[in-house]
Amino acid sequence: MSQRKAAGIIIGCFVAGSLVLVLLGCLGALVLLLPDGPKHAHRYLSQVQVDPAYRQVGQGGQGNCNCNLEYFYVGPSHTDPAQVFSGPTLTLQPTDGSIAVWDRLLEGEGASETSGNCRVVVYRYQRDREPFDDWKLSTDERALVASGRLVVLSLYASCERDFD
C-alpha cells in the first residue's frame, strides 16, 4: 500500500471518529436539556398517603407534555375511593365520565410547598376489561379484578409548575 493511500485512510478514520465524537457530544447536551419528567407531580404524589389495603402496581403518564403522572393501585372494591387517598390540601369531589377503559370517579386539587398546585383525578379501571400486562398483578388478582372483588384505581396528578 502506498504512503498516500495509507495517509488517506488515516485521515478518513480521523474525520469519521471526530464526527462520531461530535454527534455523541450533541446527544449528551440534548439529554441535559430535555425535561426529566413531571418532577412536581412526582413530588406531590410521593406525599399522598394510600390506604394500606391498596398496593401500587405501576405508574404511567407524562404524555406528550411530560407534565403529568399517574400511579396505579389494586385493592378491595368495597372501599369508598374518596377514603383511599389523602394528601396535602387534597380535596376530591365526585365526578363522572370515562376515558377509554377508565371511569372518572373523583376530581379535585392538592398542593404542597414542593409541588405547587396540582389537579388530581381518581379513575377506576373498568372491571370487564383485561388488565394491562405491565401491572404487577398475579393470576389470582386478575381473576378478582374480573369478578369485581378487587379494583384498579389510578391516581393522576398534573401540577402547574411542570408546565414552566
Side-chain angles (χ1 to χ4, degrees), residues 39-98:
K39 62 184 169 189
H40 295 93
H42 176 73
R43 287 178 184 158
Y44 186 77
L45 289 180
S46 70
Q47 297 175 64
V48 171
Q49 289 81 44
V50 181
D51 182 315
Y54 285 76
R55 175 175 69 89
Q56 186 175 348
V57 293
Q59 78 177 46
Q62 299 183 16
N64 292 336
C65 65
N66 200 34
C67 58
N68 54 61
L69 185 62
E70 64 185 323
Y71 291 162
F72 302 108
Y73 297 90
V74 65
S77 60
H78 66 273
T79 304
D80 177 5
Q83 303 302 314
V84 174
F85 305 104
S86 61
T89 71
L90 181 60
T91 57
L92 294 170
Q93 302 297 321
T95 187
D96 61 358
S98 62

Side-chain angles (χ1 to χ4, degrees), residues 74-128:
V74 65
S77 60
H78 66 273
T79 304
D80 177 5
Q83 303 302 314
V84 174
F85 305 104
S86 61
T89 71
L90 181 60
T91 57
L92 294 170
Q93 302 297 321
T95 187
D96 61 358
S98 62
I99 298 173
V101 298
W102 294 96
D103 294 324
R104 187 173 46 219
L105 304 176
L106 304 163
E107 188 168 4
E109 295 180 353
S112 76
E113 191 174 309
T114 60
S115 68
N117 295 324
C118 303
R119 177 177 173 253
V120 180
V121 184
V122 175
Y123 295 96
R124 178 184 58 220
Y125 195 72
Q126 296 171 357
R127 73 182 188 111
D128 61 343

